[in-house]
Amino acid sequence: MSASTEPTRDQALAATRAWVETFVVARNVCPFAGREVARDSIRYVAVDAGDWEGALHRLVAECERLDESPEIETTLLVLTPGLEAFDDYLDFLAVAEALMADQGYEGTYQLASFHPDYCFEGEASEDPANFTNRSPYPMLHLLREAGLERALAHYPDPEAIPERNVAAMRELGTEALASALAALRDGKR
């Protein structure tokens, strides 16, 4: 798939699933993800982000689904097409976070953010550390706060996770990480 070709929903979901398995779990970026992959408790949902209103309704619907489905631990909303520009994505994220609070989900669910061009504030875009939050497609990760708290309570030194990930990404380097992410987007694992 070339960069100018819009992915199908199935391609975007397959790339995201592969990213979770071959990057997040395999590199232990999130030490809790492997358990959820093994339990098959991650829900993957493609959302047309070109229609913000519809995408925000889908976000709330996914919160409602989590309310009703305790066997689903977390949901990844793959936002394609529509939020390819990182600044647009950040604007959408701010609206989504405000909506979650307005709907009474603050403290119940939280959003983690991922984007192909993710860049931490104050960091250079080419810093490999940004790959801790880079994904094949723009994404919102809807997490259960209670599940996260349980996982963190049983993990030694959870505060060290971000530092460990930054060091690992910098050791791998931007070129290798960008190549791996592009391969996932192109369906080449």
Side-chain angles (χ1 to χ4, degrees), residues 55-65 99-100 103 105:
L56 292 167
H57 282 293
R58 188 65 186 262
L59 172 62
V60 172
E62 288 302 321
C63 289
E64 292 167 351
R65 180 181 297 274
L99 177 63
M100 297 272 298
Q103 295 293 309
Y105 285 114

Side-chain angles (χ1 to χ4, degrees), residues 18-37 114 131-132 155-158 160-169 172 177:
W19 170 76
V20 168
E21 294 170 1
T22 65
F23 181 79
V24 176
V25 173
R27 297 187 186 285
N28 202 31
V29 175
C30 175
F32 319 114
R35 176 178 185 262
E36 302 313 323
V37 167
F114 299 90
F131 281 87
T132 63
Y155 189 82
D157 198 16
I161 294 170
E163 292 172 17
R164 182 202 65 203
N165 286 340
V166 166
M169 297 303 110
L172 289 167
L177 290 164

Side-chain angles (χ1 to χ4, degrees), residues 11-169:
Q11 289 168 327
L13 292 174
T16 300
R17 187 178 297 271
W19 170 76
V20 168
E21 294 170 1
T22 65
F23 181 79
V24 176
V25 173
R27 297 187 186 285
N28 202 31
V29 175
C30 175
F32 319 114
R35 176 178 185 262
E36 302 313 323
V37 167
R39 291 178 59 223
D40 196 26
S41 63
I42 302 172
R43 180 169 157 76
Y44 297 85
V45 179
V47 177
D48 178 354
D51 170 16
W52 280 30
E53 185 176 343
L56 292 167
H57 282 293
R58 188 65 186 262
L59 172 62
V60 172
E62 288 302 321
C63 289
E64 292 167 351
R65 180 181 297 274
L66 287 172
D67 288 345
E68 298 165 2
S69 306
E71 70 279 4
I72 302 170
E73 183 60 34
T74 190
T75 301
L76 297 176
L77 291 109
V78 182
L79 305 167
T80 186
L83 294 173
E84 292 78 15
F86 185 55
D87 287 339
D88 292 343
Y89 171 82
L90 291 176
D91 291 343
F92 180 83
L93 175 63
V95 173
E97 289 174 332
L99 177 63
M100 297 272 298
D102 289 346
Q103 295 293 309
Y105 285 114
E106 194 169 38
T108 303
Y109 303 115
Q110 75 173 244
L111 292 176
S113 56
F114 299 90
H115 190 278
D117 297 322
Y118 200 97
C119 186
F120 289 104
E121 189 172 345
E123 296 297 328
S125 64
E126 64 275 358
D127 186 336
N130 293 313
F131 281 87
T132 63
N133 285 64
R134 287 193 180 168
S135 56
Y137 296 97
M139 180 186 330
L140 294 178
H141 183 184
L142 191 54
L143 296 136
R144 291 181 186 275
E145 291 260 349
L148 186 59
E149 288 171 10
R150 278 191 307 276
L152 290 172
H154 295 89
Y155 189 82
D157 198 16
E159 294 81 19
I161 294 170
E163 292 172 17
R164 182 202 65 203
N165 286 340
V166 166
M169 297 303 110

